[in-house]
Amino acid sequence: MVQIYTWAYQDWKTITKETLATIVGLPDGITADDYKAITGEAYVAPTTQATTTSNQ
């Protein structure tokens, strides 16, 4: 499966780094090491910012 993503990113240009990042860690996805091997850049997990609601 990693080979397909490699071809799609490097050769076919049909997938972006952002799209690859969304499949890191999924059961049928890729690992952070795979992401680095495919893109040449380290995977950085997205940060989530909690929103708070104040009831006044």
Side-chain angles (χ1 to χ4, degrees):
M1 192 61 135
V2 174
Q3 187 62 49
I4 296 297
Y5 291 124
T6 302
W7 289 331
Y9 178 76
Q10 295 177 355
D11 298 333
W12 303 330
K13 311 289 190 233
T14 57
I15 194 169
T16 64
K17 285 188 280 190
E18 292 78 16
T19 304
L20 279 174
T22 64
I23 60 172
V24 172
L26 295 178
D28 291 332
I30 60 175
T31 67
D33 290 338
D34 294 334
Y35 179 88
K36 185 173 183 174
I38 294 168
T39 65
E41 298 178 10
Y43 172 73
V44 177
T47 57
T48 57
Q49 186 175 28
T51 57
T52 58
T53 305
S54 62
N55 295 329
Q56 295 180 356

